């Protein structure tokens, strides 16, 4: 996305005066760059709330804490202690850097000291696990507590594993290791399990969607193995702010939890600015790059003496921004570096050095990927700049949460990229300000995921006929596995009989259905540079596709569908490609229906056939269509869940001149609904898909080569409806995961809200006729018609724009 | 409640039709209880099968040759014993080659398991345990074979009875394979592990020390051919043992299961032979 020159980079910028805090810098930016700031608000800080060290804490532990400078606790830490001592499961939900880890460290270490009780810690990443162990070791040393903590992950050498299994009081690992290495070998961990008292799961907000659904099933297996060893461990879960922390924690462990949601940690005011780069080419609607703006803001902040953290979306962008800032601040090699990059792909040692330097305060600017979003300790920061929207409100707040000291005000700036989602957000500051953070959702009973884990569970311990897995009987799944030949039924028991190790074949982090690898063949290389999910392959890896990796364009030269490989070469183009896929849906079952204005909304199970027929070439920034190419791939089939809206023929006949208009309107409405729905359910855009067609699969709508809607028959060929044929166009939003992953039900619940948001999105878009940020790319003809309309001939042209048509459809669906 | 959940629940409630009749298991008196009727919808079932690429397991086999040798100690547990004249150990065997003090030959317990696979973890089990020792100057070979999974616990208990406090285990790769596998099985059966803490001579290691690089490989079959001149005829390759037992378990022929037993017995003889060769070289 950096094909355009940064014209504004060299423009004059205000000189810093005194060392600033978040408030003064926010003011200064707001004055100087008023036109770029689309939203500004303040999240007020709070006083600290403290509690004495609990009296029932083991004295040696209290001494160790005091020697580490901890003479009292924040109120939430004290509450967590009390709740854990009461014996129930606990969930702690407080902002970043509020001292969450002490909430679980105290009960775990105390139990290890007094009862030799063991604890299992699960973190989503290895880096966090290592941090945690380092912290535990320091505390242990400070008080000579004799508590042994070890990481157990893929890097743990074989000869150390036996010692960890036998002697570890606290084993710090991740869900993947639990799934593939610990549970399938649980007999080796017998002593550990027999004494297991606590299971600590940190960063539970990251366990959502497919990953979270897998993890919930791993927890089911863990509980099953624990039951075999006669223990019922207590769960302590920690989450960053999400919309439904307690519900999510309870969904993960399938048990009631006590939630602690009031942080006692003090914090200063937080100023937030939403920043849209200035328009640099009004004719093409081009804006300056987010990168240039991010660079400018970071420079100003660092010059003002503020510790600044920049989040970039890709590793490459981290390097680019680091370089720009180093050019300004680190040009003298004799002085210690003031700017550092931090991202995945660095060696752990390098990252530890960077973390230490940041904690010590010798670094003024850090540029990072999402690697720093989670709880890695890097000390106090004043300013956080986001180069692009991270994809969810919750993640945005988590990143902003990195800035903030106890007394001083902090600043967070979200710089929008040209991506439609980013543009939507900065143009709707109220959405961002008022939005409750997204709900994390999981669907542990998703059939494919459930089957995978019942398979793994059957390997670990035999099932008895009436046994529950989660909340349901496992029997029907066991019968299926029996038919497959991996289980053998004898009397009332199902026993594992196959010569295989099922956990190896189940990846928690993706849909393991034959991922595609992307092979770079530039200059005779043969390097694997990326992996793409099976489901995403047909729309991203067709021959001719521009496949972006770390914002560098590669062109797909050959796709080996059977071999699951795409061969690409590095290229230099100013466009990206967008698959033209026709989706045919057939409703199998309707779970729920409701009135939606003059139409109806539904929610149910659908059969989806997706065909990628070709692709569009779209120029960066201006988003013009500059060409087409054909694609020849097998059809994709999917049984999944969907939410859909439809209007009766009579209503449409009254509202539209002809059917073509109505279909154009439905396509535009689908685009807008898809955009707001993606934001609403915290989905990745490709996990939720849209389609327009008839409810019975008889026909569906795509775009023709001119960008106009085109009705196609069941065979995918352009078709026309007979004048008397039933005409009930329907817009669908469906889960792009076999069996559904639970997006569609919440969408159905929020159906009225979504329609209202889609209307607001289109109405407030700056474009005239329609654009990718609202109703999708529009044909040039529509632009011209709109221009003509704007220049005086104010009749049918403007009211026939894709924007207007989409609004008409949505208005009909809007609740009265 | 999620939609899918509702759907499955709905389907399950529809699944109340009577179970389909199931053929009586050949060779056994017990009929398995019929399947409880599948509550998964056809659509869901097809979806799952396509995604997991489920292979239809062989239908229940129906063979007339169901003879597993030995006597039945308890339901599903068969036992064979034979004594053969085979080599003549010295009363005290020199175990220097294994870096151990001399051992009274009567303490040696050679053992070897046949398992359902090599995948490891809690899902792999032994369906046959063979053990051999010296008694009254003869080599006594005892084998336990299970013909039902439920008999595993009885097999483990019986094997434990053969092991004394002062037994010295003899195996080929048993430290890494058979012993941990049995430890897992005893743990799962909630029984104490009788192998724990015993002296254990794993012959693979001294064989490797002596002949690695000189022989084509250090497998037991190679060692017995090189050291004892044994050439096996009609030997069932070890890799086929899991299938042999599974075939029998599913109602198929016992022929290959008997070949597994013969293979296991030969392994035990070779263990003793290799051990005495190594001891004699000192």
């Amino acid at each position: 996305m950096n094909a355009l020159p940064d014209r504004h980079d060299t423009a004059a910028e205000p000189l810093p005066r005194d060392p600033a805090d978040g408030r003064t810098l926010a003011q200064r930016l707001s004055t100087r760059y008023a036109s770029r700031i689309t939203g500004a608000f303040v999240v007020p800080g709070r006083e600290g709330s403290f509690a004495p060290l609990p009296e029932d804490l083991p004295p040696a532990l209290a001494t160790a804490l005091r020697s580490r400078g901890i003479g009292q606790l924040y109120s939430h830490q004290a509450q967590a202690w009390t709740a854990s001592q009461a014996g129930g499961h606990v969930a702690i939900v407080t902002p970043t850097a509020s001292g969450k880890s002490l909430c679980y460290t105290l009960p775990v270490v105390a139990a290890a000291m007094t009862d030799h009780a063991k604890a299992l810690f699960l973190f989503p990443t290895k880096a966090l696990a290592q941090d945690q162990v380092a912290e535990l070791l320091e505390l242990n040393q400070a008080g000579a507590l004799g508590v042994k903590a070890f990481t157990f992950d893929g890097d743990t050498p074989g000869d150390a594993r036996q010692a960890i299994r036998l002697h570890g009081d606290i084993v710090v690992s991740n869900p993947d290791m639990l799934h593939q290495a610990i549970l399938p070998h649980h007999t080796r961990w017998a002593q550990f399990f027999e004494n297991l008292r606590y299971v600590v799961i940190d960063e539970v907000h990251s366990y959502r969607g497919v990953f979270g659904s897998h993890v919930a099933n791993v927890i089911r297996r863990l509980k099953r193995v624990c039951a075999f060893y006669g223990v019922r461990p207590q769960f302590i879960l920690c989450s960053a702010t999400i919309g439904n922390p307690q519900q999510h924690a309870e969904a993960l462990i399938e048990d009631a939890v006590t939630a602690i949601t009031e942080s006692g940690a003090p914090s200063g005011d937080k100023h937030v600015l939403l920043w849209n780069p200035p328009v640099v080419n009004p004719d093409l609607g081009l804006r300056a790059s987010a990168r240039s703006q991010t660079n400018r803001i970071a420079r100003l902040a660092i010059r003002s003496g503020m510790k600044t953290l920049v989040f970039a979306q890709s590793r490459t962008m981290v390097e680019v921004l680091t370089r720009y800032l180093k050019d300004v601040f680190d040009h003298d090699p004799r002085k210690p570096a003031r700017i550092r990059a931090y991202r995945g792909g660095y060696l752990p040692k390098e990252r530890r050095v960077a973390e230490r330097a940041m904690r010590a305060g010798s670094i003024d600017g850090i540029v990072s990927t999402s690697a720093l979003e989670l709880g890695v300790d890097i000390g106090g920061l004043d300013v956080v700049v986001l180069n692009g929207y991270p994809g969810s409100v919750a993640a945005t707040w988590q990143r902003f949460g990195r800035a903030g000291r106890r007394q001083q005000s902090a600043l967070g700036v979200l710089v929008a990229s040209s991506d439609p989602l980013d543009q939507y957000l900065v143009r709707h500051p109220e959405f961002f300000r008022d939005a409750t953070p997204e709900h994390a959702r999981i669907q542990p009973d998703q059939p494919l995921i459930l089957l995978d884990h019942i398979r793994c569970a059957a390997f670990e311990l035999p099932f008895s006929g009436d046994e529950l897995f989660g909340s349901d009987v496992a029997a029907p799944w066991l019968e299926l596995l029996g038919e497959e030949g991996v289980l053998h039924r004898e009397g009332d028991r199902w026993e594992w009989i196959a010569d295989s190790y099922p956990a190896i074949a189940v990846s928690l982090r993706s849909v393991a259905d034959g991922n595609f690898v992307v092979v770079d063949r530039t200059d005779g290389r043969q390097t694997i540079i990326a992996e793409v999910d099976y489901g995403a392959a047909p729309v991203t890896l067709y021959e001719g596709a521009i496949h972006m990796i770390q914002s560098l364009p590669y062109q797909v030269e050959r796709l080996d569908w059977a071999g699951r490989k795409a061969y690409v070469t590095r290229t230099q183009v100013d466009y990206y490609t967008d698959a033209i896929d026709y989706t045919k849906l057939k409703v199998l079952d309707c779970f729920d229906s409701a009135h939606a204005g003059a139409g109806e909304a539904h929610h149910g199970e659908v059969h989806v056939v997706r065909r990628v027929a070709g692709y569009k070439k779209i120029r960066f920034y201006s988003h013009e269509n500059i060409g087409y190419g054909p694609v020849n791939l097998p059809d994709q089939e999917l049984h999944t869940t969907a939410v859909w809206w439809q209007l009766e023929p009579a209503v449409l006949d009254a509202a539209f001149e002809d059917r073509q208009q109505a279909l154009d309107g439905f396509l535009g409405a689908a685009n807008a609904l898809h955009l707001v729905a993606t934001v609403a359910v915290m989905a990745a855009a490709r996990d939720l898909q849209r389609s327009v067609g008839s409810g019975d699969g008889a026909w569906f709508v795509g775009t023709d080569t001119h960008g106009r809607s085109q009705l196609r028959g069941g065979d995918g060929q352009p078709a026309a409806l007979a004048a008397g044929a039933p005409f009930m166009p329907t817009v669908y939003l469906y889960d792009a995961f076999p069996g559904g992953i639970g997006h569609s039900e919440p969408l159905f619940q929020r159906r009225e809200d979504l329609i209202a948001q889609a209307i607001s999105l289109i109405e407030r878009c700056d474009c005239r006729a329609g654009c990718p940020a609202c109703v999708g790319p529009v044909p040039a003809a529509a632009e011209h018609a709109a221009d003509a309309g704007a220049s005086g001939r104010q009749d049918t042209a403007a009211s026939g724009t894709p924007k207007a048509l989409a609004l008409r459809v949505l208005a009909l669906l809007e609740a009265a | 409640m999620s939609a899918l959940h509702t759907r499955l629940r709905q389907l399950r409630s529809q699944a109340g039709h009577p179970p389909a009749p199931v053929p009586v298991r050949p060779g056994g008196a017990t009929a398995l209880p019929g399947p409880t009727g599948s509550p998964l919808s056809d659509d869901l079932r097809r979806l799952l099968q396509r995604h997991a690429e489920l292979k239809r397991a062989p239908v229940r086999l129906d063979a007339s040759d169901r003879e597993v040798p030995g006597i039945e100690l308890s339901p599903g547990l068969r036992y064979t014993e034979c004594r053969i004249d085979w080599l003549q150990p010295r009363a005290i065997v020199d175990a220097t080659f294994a870096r151990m003090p001399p051992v009274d030959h009567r303490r040696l317990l050679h053992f070897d398991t046949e398992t359902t696979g090599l995948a490891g973890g809690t899902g792999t089990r032994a369906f046959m345990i063979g053990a051999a020792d010296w008694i009254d100057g003869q080599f006594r070979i005892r084998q336990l074979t299970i013909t039902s999974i439920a008999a595993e616990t009885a097999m483990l208990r019986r094997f434990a009875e053969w092991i004394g406090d002062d037994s010295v285990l003899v195996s080929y790769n048993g430290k890494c394979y058979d012993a941990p596998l049995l430890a897992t099985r005893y743990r799962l059966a909630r029984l104490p592990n009788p192998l724990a803490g015993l002296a254990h001579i794993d012959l693979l290691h001294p064989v490797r020390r002596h002949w690695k690089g000189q022989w084509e490989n250090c497998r037991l079959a190679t060692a017995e051919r090189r050291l004892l001149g044994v050439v096996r005829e009609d030997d069932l390759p070890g890799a086929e043992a899991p299938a042999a037992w599974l075939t029998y378990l599913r109602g198929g022929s016992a022929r290959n299961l008997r070949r597994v037993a013969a293979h296991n017995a030969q392994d035990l003889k070779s263990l003793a032979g290799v051990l005495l060769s190594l001891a004699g070289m000192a």
Side-chain angles (χ1 to χ4, degrees):
Chain A
M1 295 269 183
N2 43 11
L4 289 165
D6 258 343
R7 277 194 259 156
H8 281 246
D9 233 15
T10 51
E13 56 189 46
L15 288 172
R17 289 170 291 251
D18 321 308
D21 63 6
R23 187 179 58 83
T24 55
L25 185 62
Q27 277 171 352
R28 207 181 296 164
L29 290 170
S30 303
T31 316
R32 176 69 176 80
Y33 299 106
S35 66
R36 301 182 193 181
I37 289 167
T38 61
F41 38 94
V42 185
V43 182
R46 56 174 182 271
E47 299 283 318
S49 163
F50 301 91
L53 292 181
E55 283 176 11
D56 46 348
L57 213 56
L61 179 53
T63 310
L65 288 170
R66 288 200 187 90
S67 76
R68 302 264 295 144
I70 302 168
Q72 56 181 355
L73 298 182
Y74 295 138
S75 55
H76 63 279
Q77 294 168 334
Q79 282 170 19
W81 170 262
T82 311
S84 65
Q85 298 312 298
H89 306 305
V90 187
I92 299 127
V93 192
T94 53
T96 326
S98 56
K100 248 184 305 213
S101 62
L102 213 51
C103 294
Y104 50 77
T105 305
L106 295 185
V108 164
V109 171
M113 290 170 60
T114 53
D115 296 339
H116 299 287
K118 311 241 178 189
L120 174 67
F121 284 21
L122 299 175
F123 288 89
T125 68
K126 282 191 226 169
L128 286 169
Q130 283 155 1
D131 269 11
Q132 192 55 48
V133 167
E135 206 176 311
L136 283 166
L137 291 180
E138 282 171 26
L139 181 67
N140 184 48
Q141 260 173 6
L145 306 178
V147 174
K148 298 186 198 70
F150 300 100
T151 52
F152 186 82
D153 57 34
D155 300 340
T156 308
D159 49 358
R161 295 187 174 201
Q162 174 72 1
I164 293 170
R165 287 194 284 260
L166 293 179
H167 307 301
D169 296 307
I170 303 173
V171 172
V172 184
S173 189
N174 54 59
D176 313 75
M177 281 302 276
L178 180 61
H179 156 61
Q180 290 191 330
I182 298 177
L183 292 175
H185 280 291
H186 63 84
T187 52
R188 296 191 188 172
W189 292 82
Q191 276 182 309
F192 181 78
F193 280 117
E194 281 165 351
N195 297 293
L196 183 63
R197 171 141 356 141
Y198 289 108
V199 176
V200 172
I201 311 180
D202 204 348
E203 316 278 1
V204 294
H205 58 277
S206 60
Y207 302 133
R208 57 173 192 268
V210 175
F211 184 33
S213 305
H214 274 297
V215 171
N217 277 291
V218 173
I219 292 170
R220 289 173 171 175
R221 285 160 53 199
L222 170 66
K223 290 208 263 187
R224 198 165 169 261
V225 165
C226 284
F228 177 80
Y229 292 102
V231 293
R232 276 197 71 216
Q234 221 176 312
F235 285 83
I236 304 180
L237 307 103
C238 293
S239 173
T241 307
I242 50 173
N244 59 341
Q246 176 166 11
Q247 185 203 1
H248 182 55
E250 291 182 340
L252 268 178
I253 67 165
E254 295 176 293
D255 210 340
V257 305
T258 306
I260 295 168
T261 53
E262 286 296 311
S263 168
S267 70
D269 291 349
K270 188 154 297 164
H271 294 257
V272 170
L273 299 180
L274 304 186
W275 184 292
N276 206 3
V279 175
V280 293
N281 184 333
D283 294 337
L284 290 177
L286 287 188
R287 287 180 181 274
S289 70
R291 184 196 60 239
S292 67
Q293 304 294 300
T294 300
N295 182 30
R296 170 188 304 258
I297 299 163
R299 217 159 53 206
L300 260 168
I302 295 168
R303 286 224 173 100
S304 311
M306 302 172 76
K307 301 277 183 208
T308 302
L309 167 59
V310 176
F311 279 104
Q313 305 286 63
S314 72
R315 294 177 181 188
T316 314
M317 191 52 77
V318 165
E319 298 301 332
V320 170
L321 284 165
T322 306
R323 160 88 190 279
Y324 288 178
L325 290 174
K326 274 184 168 296
D327 283 348
V328 176
F329 296 105
D330 283 341
H331 47 73
D332 185 347
R334 290 165 300 181
K335 293 186 181 159
R338 296 174 66 191
I339 308 295
R340 275 205 108 111
Y342 186 98
R343 59 171 177 81
Y346 287 166
L347 296 173
K349 225 168 87 184
E350 264 176 283
R351 304 211 324 188
R352 296 291 96 75
V353 171
E355 288 158 20
R356 266 200 303 278
M358 290 182 245
R359 277 198 295 270
S362 60
I363 299 292
D364 295 320
I366 311 143
V367 187
S368 170
T369 54
S370 58
L372 275 183
E373 179 182 310
L374 301 173
V376 178
D377 179 16
I378 49 165
L381 291 165
D382 304 302
V383 179
V384 167
V385 186
L386 309 189
N387 183 57
Y389 176 59
S392 76
V393 172
T396 306
W397 283 114
Q398 248 156 275
R399 292 178 185 200
F400 281 159
R402 277 308 199 165
R405 304 180 190 240
R406 291 179 187 187
Q407 307 302 339
Q408 228 173 333
S409 60
L411 172 65
V413 186
L414 169 61
V415 180
S417 75
S418 59
D419 186 271
L421 254 186
D422 286 37
Q423 288 297 317
Y424 171 65
L425 276 162
V426 288
R427 292 178 200 183
H428 298 78
E430 76 290 344
F431 169 85
F432 185 78
R433 187 186 54 226
D434 304 336
T436 44
E438 295 85 347
H439 287 222
R441 292 182 190 280
I442 54 170
Q443 184 88 332
D445 291 332
Q446 205 286 337
L448 292 179
I449 295 176
L450 185 62
L451 183 62
D452 272 347
H453 288 279
I454 288 182
R455 183 193 303 268
C456 293
F459 177 91
E460 286 149 12
L461 289 167
F463 273 92
S464 63
D466 56 353
E467 192 175 331
L468 299 180
F469 189 75
S471 48
D472 277 321
V473 274
W477 307 93
L478 300 172
E479 278 167 22
L480 201 65
L481 293 169
E483 285 169 25
E484 191 188 334
V486 298
L487 296 191
H488 180 79
R489 180 177 189 170
E490 216 177 75
D492 189 34
R493 278 159 74 90
W494 292 91
E495 303 264 4
W496 185 263
I497 201 68
D499 182 15
S500 61
Y501 190 93
I504 288 297
V506 177
S507 159
L508 304 186
R509 313 233 176 196
S510 71
V511 192
D513 201 5
N515 283 359
F516 281 69
V517 292
V518 180
V519 183
D520 180 14
R521 291 205 293 200
T522 313
D523 305 328
R525 276 197 291 263
Q526 282 282 349
T527 321
I528 293 176
I529 51 173
E531 264 190 63
V532 172
D533 282 359
Y534 178 83
V539 285
T540 55
L541 293 179
Y542 45 87
E543 291 173 7
I546 300 299
H547 191 68
M548 305 288 290
I549 294 167
Q550 302 191 359
S551 66
L552 296 178
Y554 291 81
Q555 185 153 36
V556 179
E557 293 193 322
R558 197 166 77 77
L559 178 64
D560 173 4
W561 184 264
R564 302 279 191 266
K565 283 190 195 79
Y567 297 96
V568 301
T569 51
R570 186 78 170 79
T571 180
Q572 293 289 345
V573 290
D574 63 344
Y575 66 89
Y576 60 95
T577 52
D578 192 14
I580 306 172
D581 58 330
Y582 304 124
T583 311
K584 193 171 69 169
L585 274 99
K586 193 175 166 192
V587 174
L588 299 175
D589 190 9
C590 184
F591 303 142
D592 209 348
S593 302
H595 290 293
E600 285 194 350
H602 305 273
H603 165 227
E605 190 178 340
V606 294
H607 176 235
V608 181
V609 180
R610 193 168 57 162
R611 173 178 303 166
V612 180
Y615 62 91
K616 292 174 280 200
K617 297 178 182 174
I618 299 176
R619 201 189 297 280
F620 281 126
Y621 297 102
S622 70
H623 301 291
E624 329 157 57
N625 264 342
I626 55 170
Y628 291 87
V631 171
N632 193 4
L633 283 177
D635 284 353
Q636 307 296 306
E637 280 189 72
L638 191 68
H639 281 87
T640 183
T641 55
V643 55
W644 64 93
W645 289 266
Q646 51 195 188
L647 287 166
E648 291 289 335
V651 176
L652 290 173
D653 287 346
F656 291 93
E657 289 167 30
D658 53 33
R659 289 180 171 181
Q660 175 72 45
Q661 271 202 344
L663 292 180
D664 283 346
F666 266 91
L667 271 191
N671 197 77
L673 279 168
H674 180 244
L675 204 57
V676 295
T678 303
V679 175
V681 292
M682 218 168 169
R686 64 175 174 77
D687 288 347
L688 190 70
Q689 296 281 348
R690 63 179 186 275
S691 172
V692 174
S694 71
D696 55 4
W699 52 267
F700 54 98
V701 184
T703 45
D704 64 13
T705 49
H706 303 293
R708 304 252 301 167
S709 60
Q710 165 85 64
L711 199 109
R712 287 169 190 266
D715 55 358
Q717 293 307 309
L721 274 188
F727 180 68
M728 191 170 328
T730 307
V731 45
Y732 300 92
L733 299 176
Y734 63 91
D735 262 346
F737 184 87
I741 195 67
H743 288 325
S744 58
E745 197 207 6
L747 289 177
F748 181 75
Q749 301 304 334
R750 296 174 67 171
R751 59 194 177 272
E752 294 180 359
D753 192 29
L754 291 177
I755 297 283
Q757 281 186 33
I759 289 173
S760 147
L761 167 73
I762 299 173
E763 278 177 345
R764 298 173 56 173
C765 189
D766 294 338
C767 67
R768 279 190 287 258
C771 73
C774 58
V775 297
V778 298
E783 296 256 18
H784 294 282
D787 288 346
S791 63
R793 289 185 289 125
Q794 197 88 16
D795 44 357
T796 54
S799 64
T801 60
K803 249 178 121 162
L805 295 173
L807 278 174
R808 215 179 297 167
V809 167
L810 290 167
L812 290 171
L813 291 169
E814 191 177 21
Chain B
M1 195 181 344
S2 78
L4 196 67
H5 214 83
T6 319
R7 172 120 178 100
L8 281 173
R9 183 150 300 191
Q10 195 184 344
L11 289 163
R12 275 180 202 132
S13 71
Q14 293 166 2
H17 45 76
V22 153
V24 172
R25 199 175 169 190
T30 49
L32 285 179
T36 53
S38 168
L40 298 183
S41 75
D42 289 346
D43 272 345
L44 187 55
R45 178 171 283 263
R46 264 198 306 277
L47 163 91
L48 292 168
Q49 286 178 341
R50 191 173 61 244
H51 276 269
E53 289 173 15
L54 303 193
K55 291 179 285 290
R56 287 276 161 176
V59 271
R60 184 160 291 285
L61 301 165
D62 189 359
S64 51
D65 178 0
R66 298 280 297 164
E67 197 190 321
V68 181
I71 55 163
E72 190 162 67
L73 294 179
S74 58
L77 178 61
R78 302 199 71 93
Y79 170 72
T80 60
E81 177 179 331
C82 66
R83 297 184 187 207
I84 54 173
D85 293 314
W86 164 251
L87 307 175
Q88 280 299 320
R90 292 186 189 163
I92 302 296
V93 176
D94 184 348
T96 318
F97 69 91
R99 294 160 184 169
M100 277 169 56
V103 191
D104 183 330
H105 72 288
R106 287 170 299 185
R107 287 172 58 199
L108 296 172
L109 186 72
H110 313 76
F111 81 108
D112 186 34
T113 63
E114 302 301 330
T115 66
T116 56
L118 296 171
T122 46
T124 308
R125 72 187 81 229
F127 62 84
M128 183 183 292
I129 303 176
D133 51 5
W134 299 104
I135 186 153
D136 304 330
Q138 282 190 303
F139 194 59
R140 174 175 66 170
I141 297 176
R142 293 180 286 180
Q143 289 173 307
L144 295 165
T145 308
I146 51 174
T147 56
S148 76
I149 294 173
E152 184 187 9
T153 304
M155 173 175 74
L156 294 172
R157 281 187 206 281
R158 180 57 63 124
F159 178 57
E161 288 168 11
W162 297 351
I163 299 169
D165 295 340
D166 64 345
S167 289
V168 173
L169 301 171
V170 181
S171 72
Y172 209 81
N173 198 27
K175 278 188 180 173
C176 288
Y177 188 75
D178 306 72
L181 186 138
L182 287 172
T184 289
R185 301 320 301 178
Y186 278 102
R187 177 66 77 170
L188 286 170
R190 300 184 193 279
L191 294 172
N193 177 11
L195 307 180
L198 293 184
H200 187 162
I201 301 175
D202 186 337
L203 297 170
L204 175 64
H205 303 289
V207 165
R208 272 204 186 133
R209 276 199 297 276
H210 273 93
W211 292 291
K212 192 177 180 188
Q214 296 177 45
W215 294 351
E216 61 273 33
N217 59 47
C218 291
R219 289 157 50 187
L220 181 58
T222 308
E224 69 186 11
R225 193 181 73 241
R226 296 273 188 160
L227 297 175
L228 313 170
V230 172
V231 177
R232 300 194 190 198
E233 278 174 34
D234 188 37
D235 185 49
L236 187 81
E240 288 176 33
W245 187 65
L246 207 51
T247 299
Y248 176 81
L249 193 69
R250 290 185 174 141
S253 162
R255 180 174 176 270
N256 278 350
L257 188 56
R258 292 193 299 269
R259 292 172 72 199
V260 173
H263 171 95
N264 181 265
Q266 179 58 50
D267 277 357
L268 292 169
K269 285 168 69 182
S270 294
L271 281 177
V274 171
L275 174 96
L276 295 180
S277 295
L278 285 162
M281 286 168 51

